[in-house]
Amino acid sequence: MNRIRASIVTFRTDPAELRRCIGALNAAGVTRVAVVDNSPDDSLRAVVAELGASYTHRPDNPGYGAAHNIELRRSLADVDTAYHLVINSDVWFEPDTIRLIVAEMDRRGGIGQLIPRTFYPDGREQEVVRLLPTPFDLFVRRFLPKALTRARDRRYLLAFRDHSRELDVPYHQGSFMFLRTSALRSVGLFDERFFMYPEDIDLTRRINREYLTLYWPGARIVHAHRAASYKSLRMTLVHTVNMMRYFNKWGWFFDSERRRVNREVLAAAKALQAPASH
């Protein structure tokens, strides 16, 4: 599939994990795969070469979005590249997954970005789309006991909806962002002011202004999802600082676009609400 390029950003990544991800891409027909390695050393170089992918070493670690932008710019410079997949190394899928996604996006030119139905390795559903966050949403999810925040969290994650039906949502988790290059030419790339974390919210939100940013259950992937910021104090601080930058850009408590979009998404999600179990 020469119309597609994929990029993976690594940082001290397990070589076995990277092999599985690139292997899934190659099995799906994606042969133009690029790894941008933000690790201090280039120990992954030989692994990447063995797998037939390109390798760029950035020991200065410019950040997640900035590293992907290196490859996104190459996709935009190539008029034959219709789609670019931003993918995490801890994602894998069946060989027909990419074909199904491309067919859907070819059929519907209004889709600027797509994320498929996503599962944990143990088969549990993973919530990969959500409302545009308020500062309260992020505070609730991170610092208060789950027993006190379950209802709010369920609303924010749109977990109540029927996951077997598609939904246009302006916030996609960044583990698998299937992007139309013409949409990127229109709205721009990742905002490099964000070192890590809110760059996926920011880009999806900008694309959603002009295109559908679609949760599409017609294809499935598996995402191991380590959630590093919940396990490391340093990554918690990185997450917090960068979310502050996000709210400085879009608005903390006064964000009229967020209010309007979330109202519309909630209404659409409630219309797709999964039947109550008995």
Side-chain angles (χ1 to χ4, degrees), residues 131-147:
L131 298 176
L132 293 175
T134 67
F136 183 72
D137 285 320
L138 296 180
F139 173 77
V140 161
R141 297 196 75 233
R142 183 166 295 274
F143 298 113
L144 295 184
K146 289 187 179 298

Side-chain angles (χ1 to χ4, degrees), residues 11 34 36 40 42 62 137 143 233:
F11 181 81
V36 181
D42 67 346
D137 285 320
F143 298 113
L233 177 59

Side-chain angles (χ1 to χ4, degrees), residues 111-230:
I111 303 173
Q113 179 179 329
L114 183 149
I115 190 167
R117 193 167 185 175
T118 305
F119 296 88
Y120 290 102
D122 63 6
R124 289 179 297 125
E125 191 89 43
Q126 190 170 133
E127 304 298 348
V128 291
V129 296
R130 50 205 66 179
L131 298 176
L132 293 175
T134 67
F136 183 72
D137 285 320
L138 296 180
F139 173 77
V140 161
R141 297 196 75 233
R142 183 166 295 274
F143 298 113
L144 295 184
K146 289 187 179 298
L148 298 178
T149 64
R150 191 169 289 113
R152 175 85 186 198
D153 202 40
R154 185 172 172 80
R155 175 184 179 274
Y156 170 62
L157 296 174
L158 302 168
F160 57 83
R161 76 192 195 284
D162 183 349
H163 292 69
S164 69
R165 300 174 70 182
E166 69 176 47
L167 186 66
D168 180 30
V169 190
Y171 174 6
H172 292 191
Q173 184 196 78
S175 57
F176 189 104
M177 303 173 76
F178 206 93
L179 302 159
R180 189 181 298 275
T181 53
S182 58
L184 294 173
R185 288 190 183 96
S186 177
V187 309
L189 307 181
F190 285 116
D191 187 334
E192 297 185 11
R193 286 175 291 182
F194 307 128
F195 177 79
M196 191 175 181
Y197 292 115
E199 71 286 320
D200 51 2
I201 316 173
D202 177 82
L203 181 57
T204 310
R205 179 174 183 167
R206 285 187 281 122
I207 293 175
N208 184 255
R209 286 173 161 176
E210 300 182 25
Y211 296 83
L212 294 174
T213 50
L214 196 67
Y215 163 82
W216 188 66
R220 298 182 173 206
I221 62 171
V222 178
H223 178 213
H225 193 45
R226 291 180 296 271
S229 69
Y230 283 81

Side-chain angles (χ1 to χ4, degrees), residues 10-64:
T10 53
F11 181 81
R12 295 175 173 166
T13 299
D14 179 357
E17 176 180 287
L18 187 59
R19 287 177 190 276
R20 181 172 58 189
C21 181
I22 296 178
L25 287 164
N26 290 340
V30 181
T31 56
R32 298 195 300 163
V33 180
V35 173
V36 181
D37 188 8
N38 287 348
S39 306
D41 62 68
D42 67 346
S43 59
L44 289 174
R45 185 185 295 274
V47 174
V48 173
E50 173 192 330
L51 296 168
S54 70
Y55 180 85
T56 301
H57 188 215
R58 288 298 303 265
D60 56 320
N61 191 1
Y64 180 84

